[in-house]
Amino acid sequence: MRQFIYSFIFTVLTCTSLYAQKDIKVEGKVVEEGSNIPLEYATVTFKSKPDNKIIDGGITDANGYFSVEIPSGTYDISVEYISYKAKNYLDKTINDSIDLGTVSLALDVESLNEVEIVAERTSVEIKLDKKVYNIGKDLTTAGGTVSDALNNVPSVSVDIEGAISLRGNENVRILINGKPSALAGFGDTNVLSQLPAEAIERVEVITSPSARYDAEGTAGILNIILRQKETLGFNGSFNFTIGNPDNVGLNASINYRTEKYNLFSNLSWRYYDAPRNSFNDVTYFDRVVDGETIEPEYRRIREDQEVERLNRNYNANVGMEYFLSEKSSITGSIFYRLGSDADLSLNNSERFNNGVIVEETLRREKETEEDNSYQIAINYVKQFGEDRDHKLTADFQYENDAEDGFTFLNEDYLTTDQTDPEPFQIEQEITTEDQKEYLIQADYVLPIGEDSRFEAGFRSNLENEVTNYRLEQENLETGELVVNDTITNVFDYDENVHALYSQYGTKFGKFSFLLGLRLEHTQLKGDIDSRLSDEELVEAFGFPIQTNFDNNYLGLFPTVNLIYNLSGSESDSEESITLGYNRRINRPRGWFINPFPTRSSRTNVFQGNPSLEPAFSNAFDIGYLKRWDKLTLTSSVYYQVETNSFERVQENTGQQTTDGIDIIRTIPINLSTNKRTGAELGFLYNPNKWLRLNSSFNFFQFETDGDFNGVDYSAKNTSWFARFSSKVTLPAKIDWQTNAFYRGARQDAQSDTDGIFSIDLAFSKELFNNNLTVSLNVRDLLNSRKRQSTTTTDFFERYSEFQWRQRQVNLSLIYRFNQQLNKRDRNGRGNGNNNGDDDFDFEG
């Protein structure tokens, strides 16, 4: 801003100068010392001697050059650029045109530190349809993953298995830069645990999505915006991490930008061991079948499982943005991921009758998985006229993911009361998955006057997934492995969504609104290739299934978002109220529909439901924001009614293992309604430069009403979660951050789950003029992120403990080069990636 003020002053002085002529030219070039990057908008000032008055001056162009005409005389010449040390030429007598040559400006470290103190703070912006959390320097996620970073965003929680929920609802849509992406793992949020946290610039929490966004996700949308390098020249960063349990990672982000194009890349490699453990204690009850009481083979079974998980991941994202003109650009990128996992599971099982162990076995499970995926994306942006908001964007995206999995299982007796026990079958599972996805999208934005905007667009998303599953079991008589025809199958699944939308927004005075309507056609199509006939499938699974189906749904999804600014133009604080309404859809994923069981153990299976239909929701949200100089307060209340909502239920299949243990099945069903009511409160408080506080609280209650197979699964549950974060700058400029999280107890139709409390700690120090960051963090300091729950049905009661990841200690080194200078973009061009932002936004 100071450079532009100088420019205005110089123009006025030029028009009113008393000098008769200016025929002496002074030229030069201004660059950054060390990197020689040109400094655009650097100011050159000429003060006459001895009265010390500003006579004239100029501003450097995009290549750092300046040229100023002045009358002859003696001057003090000053060359300045914000956050850099000024260079002065004192008592310079100028009688002829001269070239000052290349002027190198060095960074002003003290000034730069002041700027970084502001930049590292996490801040929140309230917009018409979202809250934008600009991710600051979160020390606890250094060397961590995107999932770790999301767990520190208000309204968002990541459970111990990596599942992401928004306001306690797991049906949340994950987007990368406004679009579905292979970076988000085709909807598998576990892939986010493989991407470095340093890649995130901001997270948009969209609880009332506008019509521009997909209608998928009844909870809303999390739009993860990745960092884009706007720095001229060659620049980048390297991140090295080492930790315990074994965690070694290297990430390189390299960028080269000129006036005509921008080359960018992000490369990462990670090796880690993420041991997990679980414990199950199941008590079985008598069953009554056709009036006859059937006693279980074992009254009680305890299982203690430990899993060693070795993972190697390679990620590469490279691309180029090319500026076709001052008003248009095209961006192409290729993303590639290679994952190689090797897991070893040891499951010790103890079986009781009358309180005495009658049998103990050890089950070994070796699993390997290779994941090979890539994404090709092309983005085109065209701006019209002088208004940068008048534009057309077009996107094409192709993604391919191939997974090959192999599992070997065997179980042996450690002790048994059987005189001649029948040996367990050796099992092999071979799974191949091939997934392809096409995205075609176009968006047009037309500003109408200064305060209104019309927008329209379309999107087609075509997805195909083929899962080939084969189970081979040992023939105990011959020792040969034989294919199990009951479970072996090929499932070919298509999900095709076509959408049109339009929306209109305007503001007048303190009131703004955004109205939109989206039309979506959904096709869910499946073809099951099984060795069994339809009659045999009914007998095997206990209910009729569709081996070939083609279901189509057409829906209208209106959205209304309003904001009223309570603060006056002269107020030193900001205050606003927001109101949102939207209708959304929850489409079942392929593994929720595939009726062939997947086996987490011999006695517990998960089975999809081909009859599962999409769920629809209507949601209302009222928000309030108040921002003072050092404190920001956000709050909201919300209400949602979802019809045909999904619920996982557990039931006894009526089948048993070869040694007489009942097999329990988990299956998703459509319950009639799910009503959710909640409220959230958050604050950001920065009382001093050395202290920053951040806290949020979310309370919610949901009520389900429905039955399945004659069993009433209606339930009412109240739960909550809260987080607190503090960041303190210690002596010697050492930063100390503490994050605490608690999730309250909750219930569903069959289970009661205890609360979870965890603490993360981190310390950080900047070295070598802030080019190197050294950080040490401990995630889950108390090793307490464990899920403990009790499930009760008519046939069994199960207590379980599950820990997805143990306490983790990481040491990270982050080195940056040539990243101090941010490009000023006079023409409004740059970053052609359409992040999905609504430009018609009003900050609260």
Side-chain angles (χ1 to χ4, degrees):
M1 180 61 71
R2 181 171 57 186
Q3 285 84 358
F4 292 105
I5 294 174
Y6 283 163
S7 178
F8 177 76
I9 295 174
F10 298 150
T11 302
V12 174
L13 289 174
T14 300
C15 296
T16 58
S17 174
L18 299 176
Y19 290 91
Q21 64 178 24
K22 298 181 179 180
D23 53 5
I24 298 178
K25 182 182 295 185
V26 180
E27 298 177 306
K29 181 180 181 180
V30 182
V31 300
E32 180 186 45
E33 186 177 283
S35 67
N36 291 326
I37 297 175
L39 296 179
E40 185 181 7
Y41 294 124
T43 60
V44 185
T45 309
F46 294 82
K47 295 182 180 180
S48 62
K49 301 292 289 186
D51 52 7
N52 204 36
K53 291 183 178 180
I54 297 177
I55 300 302
D56 211 331
I59 300 175
T60 57
D61 62 17
N63 297 314
Y65 289 104
F66 68 89
S67 178
V68 181
E69 292 187 355
I70 59 172
S72 60
T74 302
Y75 299 92
D76 284 345
I77 307 175
S78 177
V79 183
E80 297 178 285
Y81 192 85
I82 188 171
S83 298
Y84 287 74
K85 295 180 180 179
K87 182 160 291 188
N88 299 306
Y89 299 86
L90 303 179
D91 296 322
K92 186 81 171 179
T93 300
I94 301 177
N95 296 317
D96 297 304
S97 296
I98 63 171
D99 188 343
L100 294 180
T102 300
V103 181
S104 299
L105 300 185
L107 280 170
D108 186 344
V109 177
E110 293 184 0
S111 172
L112 185 62
N113 284 340
E114 293 177 0
V115 174
E116 288 181 343
I117 287 174
V118 176
E120 73 179 16
R121 297 178 184 174
T122 298
S123 61
V124 59
E125 300 172 8
I126 303 296
K127 300 193 176 184
L128 267 171
D129 61 344
K130 70 189 111 181
K131 295 177 184 176
V132 182
Y133 293 94
N134 298 295
I135 303 300
K137 194 191 303 180
D138 192 337
L139 308 182
T140 61
T141 62
T145 67
V146 170
S147 292
D148 298 321
L150 289 178
N151 204 34
N152 291 333
V153 174
S155 304
V156 181
S157 62
V158 183
D159 71 12
I160 58 176
E161 294 177 309
I164 298 171
S165 62
L166 179 59
R167 292 173 167 176
N169 188 345
E170 292 186 2
N171 184 226
V172 55
R173 178 71 158 166
I174 306 293
L175 302 178
I176 304 291
N177 290 339
K179 297 182 286 292
S181 172
L183 277 73
F186 294 94
D188 179 7
T189 57
N190 285 328
V191 174
L192 297 177
S193 65
Q194 302 174 11
L195 300 176
E198 287 75 20
I200 297 181
E201 177 178 326
R202 66 183 184 274
V203 177
E204 298 177 345
V205 179
I206 311 174
T207 53
S208 183
S210 68
R212 165 182 287 195
Y213 296 101
D214 284 338
E216 170 72 23
T218 56
I221 295 172
L222 288 180
N223 188 20
I224 301 171
I225 306 299
L226 303 181
R227 296 188 186 276
Q228 301 291 335
K229 302 301 182 183
E230 298 295 332
T231 307
L232 284 171
F234 182 65
N235 57 88
S237 64
F238 296 95
N239 183 359
F240 174 74
T241 299
I242 187 169
N244 179 268
D246 292 347
N247 181 27
V248 182
L250 180 63
N251 176 262
S253 180
I254 302 174
N255 189 81
Y256 180 73
R257 185 185 181 97
T258 70
E259 284 295 307
K260 197 64 179 175
Y261 61 86
N262 180 31
L263 297 173
F264 55 89
S265 65
N266 188 285
L267 312 172
S268 65
W269 167 82
R270 189 183 183 205
Y271 168 86
Y272 63 99
D273 177 14
R276 67 173 173 87
N277 58 78
S278 63
F279 173 77
N280 287 278
D281 190 345
V282 185
T283 299
Y284 294 92
F285 309 137
D286 293 342
R287 292 188 294 119
V288 178
V289 179
D290 297 330
E292 180 182 356
T293 300
I294 301 177
E295 296 184 357
E297 183 73 16
Y298 302 100
R299 282 292 178 185
R300 182 183 180 192
I301 297 178
R302 293 196 311 189
E303 293 183 325
D304 195 352
Q305 183 185 43
E306 294 183 355
V307 182
E308 179 186 82
R309 298 181 295 172
L310 299 179
N311 300 272
R312 293 166 296 279
N313 298 309
Y314 307 85
N315 296 284
N317 186 31
V318 296
M320 182 178 76
E321 179 181 13
Y322 184 75
F323 304 112
L324 301 171
S325 68
E326 293 292 326
K327 299 296 182 181
S328 63
S329 67
I330 187 169
T331 302
S333 65
I334 299 175
F335 170 76
Y336 176 75
R337 181 179 66 246
L338 175 64
S340 179
D341 302 340
D343 299 352
L344 174 62
S345 168
L346 299 177
N347 190 346
N348 184 270
S349 178
E350 298 174 331
R351 293 147 197 180
F352 295 79
N353 277 328
N354 300 320
V356 178
I357 295 180
V358 296
E359 189 170 273
E360 184 177 3
T361 63
L362 179 64
R363 176 183 173 90
R364 299 175 181 86
E365 181 176 338
K366 297 181 180 179
E367 181 180 2
T368 59
E369 182 176 297
E370 299 289 333
D371 182 6
N372 195 324
S373 64
Y374 64 89
Q375 170 186 292
I376 300 172
I378 300 175
N379 167 264
Y380 172 76
V381 177
K382 170 65 177 178
Q383 296 176 1
F384 303 94
E386 297 300 322
D387 191 341
R388 62 176 299 180
D389 290 336
H390 185 194
K391 62 183 178 181
L392 170 70
T393 62
D395 291 275
F396 171 78
Q397 199 166 275
Y398 171 72
E399 305 172 6
N400 183 283
D401 183 47
E403 294 184 11
D404 295 311
F406 175 80
T407 304
F408 177 83
L409 308 99
N410 71 311
E411 192 166 357
D412 295 312
Y413 292 99
L414 299 181
T415 60
T416 182
D417 63 348
Q418 302 181 55
T419 56
D420 187 19
E422 184 175 352
F424 296 104
Q425 292 177 307
I426 293 176
E427 296 183 356
Q428 287 186 167
E429 294 178 327
I430 300 96
T431 306
T432 61
E433 295 183 17
D434 186 19
Q435 188 165 357
K436 296 179 175 62
E437 187 169 352
Y438 297 86
L439 170 71
I440 302 174
Q441 175 180 339
D443 299 278
Y444 175 71
V445 180
L446 175 65
I448 303 174
E450 294 184 359
D451 297 324
S452 301
R453 193 182 72 174
F454 171 79
E455 184 174 348
F458 78 89
R459 172 183 287 186
S460 290
N461 208 83
L462 312 175
E463 181 180 348
N464 172 258
E465 179 181 3
V466 178
T467 303
N468 190 329
Y469 177 82
R470 186 169 83 249
L471 174 64
E472 298 177 352
Q473 295 176 306
E474 180 185 13
N475 185 317
L476 296 177
E477 294 181 357
T478 65
E480 296 179 350
L481 292 175
V482 180
V483 175
N484 184 324
D485 290 335
T486 305
I487 295 180
T488 297
N489 72 98
V490 178
F491 183 46
D492 191 339
Y493 181 67
D494 290 284
E495 179 181 301
N496 301 321
V497 181
H498 306 280
L500 294 170
Y501 83 92
S502 66
Q503 61 184 25
Y504 173 78
T506 188
K507 62 179 178 180
F508 43 90
K510 296 183 178 182
F511 182 77
S512 309
F513 69 82
L514 181 62
L515 307 178
L517 184 64
R518 188 177 185 91
L519 174 67
E520 285 193 353
H521 176 266
T522 300
Q523 180 189 40
L524 304 180
K525 182 180 179 183
D527 184 21
I528 302 172
D529 183 6
S530 170
R531 302 187 181 198
L532 301 182
S533 66
D534 290 348
E535 292 77 12
E536 291 172 322
L537 288 172
V538 172
E539 182 179 353
F541 299 142
F543 58 87
I545 68 170
Q546 297 175 323
T547 56
N548 188 289
F549 58 89
D550 187 352
N551 301 323
N552 293 266
Y553 308 89
L554 184 66
L556 281 174
F557 301 92
T559 62
V560 179
N561 289 286
L562 307 99
I563 186 169
Y564 182 73
N565 188 2
L566 298 172
S567 57
S569 59
E570 302 298 327
S571 174
D572 58 357
S573 64
E574 298 178 34
E575 187 176 16
S576 63
I577 295 177
T578 59
L579 173 65
Y581 162 77
N582 63 87
R583 183 173 188 260
R584 302 192 61 74
I585 185 174
N586 180 10
R587 304 181 185 94
R589 304 297 297 175
W591 68 288
F592 256 45
I593 290 181
N594 190 345
F596 287 84
T598 58
R599 298 151 63 89
S600 58
S601 72
R602 293 187 307 120
T603 58
N604 291 278
V605 300
F606 177 88
Q607 189 170 359
N609 181 3
S611 301
L612 204 62
E613 298 179 352
F616 294 87
S617 73
N618 290 277
F620 302 85
D621 186 292
I622 300 177
Y624 171 76
L625 173 136
K626 176 72 172 179
R627 179 182 286 128
W628 296 270
D629 181 36
K630 297 181 179 181
L631 174 65
T632 299
L633 176 70
T634 60
S635 63
S636 65
V637 294
Y638 52 90
Y639 176 73
Q640 180 186 76
V641 179
E642 183 177 337
T643 58
N644 272 345
S645 61
F646 304 159
E647 182 79 21
R648 302 186 198 186
V649 298
Q650 297 180 2
E651 59 181 9
N652 196 308
T653 62
Q655 303 173 354
Q656 293 183 328
T657 62
T658 55
D659 52 340
I661 302 176
D662 290 342
I663 297 176
I664 298 171
R665 170 175 60 197
T666 300
I667 185 170
I669 62 172
N670 287 113
L671 286 180
S672 58
T673 60
N674 186 331
K675 299 177 182 179
R676 182 179 296 266
T677 307
E680 58 184 347
L681 177 69
F683 73 84
L684 301 169
Y685 184 45
N686 304 120
N688 295 285
K689 292 182 178 180
W690 58 270
L691 177 62
R692 301 169 197 93
L693 303 175
N694 182 356
S695 182
S696 63
F697 175 82
N698 196 301
F699 171 86
F700 54 90
Q701 179 183 84
F702 64 87
E703 182 178 356
T704 59
D705 181 18
D707 60 81
F708 178 70
N709 283 349
V711 179
D712 185 4
Y713 289 100
S714 301
K716 190 173 184 180
N717 174 36
T718 299
S719 187
W720 59 279
F721 64 87
R723 55 168 50 89
F724 175 79
S725 176
S726 67
K727 189 173 181 182
V728 179
T729 301
L730 303 173
K733 294 185 178 181
I734 297 176
D735 289 329
W736 168 25
Q737 183 171 326
T738 303
N739 288 353
F741 176 84
Y742 180 79
R743 174 160 186 164
R746 64 187 189 276
Q747 302 83 36
D748 58 27
Q750 294 178 309
S751 300
D752 293 322
T753 303
D754 296 341
I756 298 176
F757 176 71
S758 65
I759 295 178
D760 300 335
L761 290 180
F763 298 89
S764 174
K765 171 68 176 175
E766 304 285 348
L767 301 170
F768 303 114
N769 292 332
N770 298 314
N771 288 323
L772 178 66
T773 302
V774 180
S775 65
L776 175 69
N777 62 54
V778 183
R779 291 202 291 273
D780 195 10
L781 176 69
L782 305 178
N783 203 33
S784 56
R785 284 185 64 84
K786 300 178 182 179
R787 183 184 64 202
Q788 299 173 307
S789 62
T790 301
T791 301
T792 303
T793 72
D794 292 338
F795 306 107
F796 66 89
E797 181 179 88
R798 175 166 59 200
Y799 170 78
S800 63
E801 294 181 2
F802 187 87
Q803 185 176 28
W804 182 256
R805 186 174 64 182
Q806 300 177 13
R807 175 174 46 232
Q808 181 78 44
V809 181
N810 289 322
L811 175 67
S812 295
L813 304 176
I814 304 176
Y815 176 74
R816 297 169 290 272
F817 63 95
N818 297 342
Q819 288 195 347
Q820 299 89 351
L821 171 62
N822 288 326
K823 170 178 168 56
R824 271 68 172 172
D825 195 341
R826 291 176 299 178
N827 300 312
R829 71 183 194 187
N831 184 15
N833 293 328
N834 177 15
N835 293 335
D837 291 334
D838 284 320
D839 296 325
F840 183 74
D841 282 331
F842 303 97
E843 300 178 9

